[in-house]
Amino acid sequence: VAVGTTSARTLETLGMDLCDEDPRGFAGFTDTFIVPGHHWKLVDALVTNFHLPRSTLLLLVSSLAGRESILHAYTEAAGRGYRFFSFGDAMLIR
């Protein structure tokens, strides 16, 4: 379970080069851009807030849960008055 999209990106970057025969540490930056169609390697669940419409982070969560599931969750959240963005409510995506 990754807590936050930055953690998810970091873990997925590590997963790109992970090899059971040669475990190693990781240091540096990531330019991993996660969009629908991404094959998740290390993350299978994510705790994150509700992101702004038309954002790359919305693409990231859609790649994990599916576009329709995320759009349904966002519609439900907006209808119930959930708060969005950095200081908003959070959700668990599995």
Side-chain angles (χ1 to χ4, degrees):
V1 176
V3 179
T5 54
T6 301
S7 297
R9 289 179 61 232
T10 301
L11 289 168
E12 286 301 296
T13 299
L14 178 60
M16 288 180 198
D17 295 325
L18 189 64
C19 178
D20 289 336
E21 295 80 33
D22 183 26
R24 59 186 177 88
F26 175 78
F29 297 96
T30 181
D31 59 359
T32 302
F33 187 64
I34 298 175
V35 297
H38 175 76
H39 177 72
W40 291 83
K41 295 185 170 120
L42 296 181
V43 175
D44 59 4
L46 172 66
V47 176
T48 188
N49 59 327
F50 288 88
H51 304 288
L52 295 177
R54 299 184 189 108
S55 69
T56 58
L57 296 177
L58 194 55
L59 288 173
L60 185 149
V61 297
S62 293
S63 75
L64 186 59
R67 182 179 184 271
E68 294 304 317
S69 294
I70 291 299
L71 291 178
H72 177 73
Y74 273 60
T75 300
E76 185 76 17
R80 293 179 180 256
Y82 285 22
R83 294 167 294 167
F84 284 56
F85 203 46
S86 296
F87 298 105
D89 291 299
M91 62 180 159
L92 171 64
I93 301 170
R94 299 183 348 163

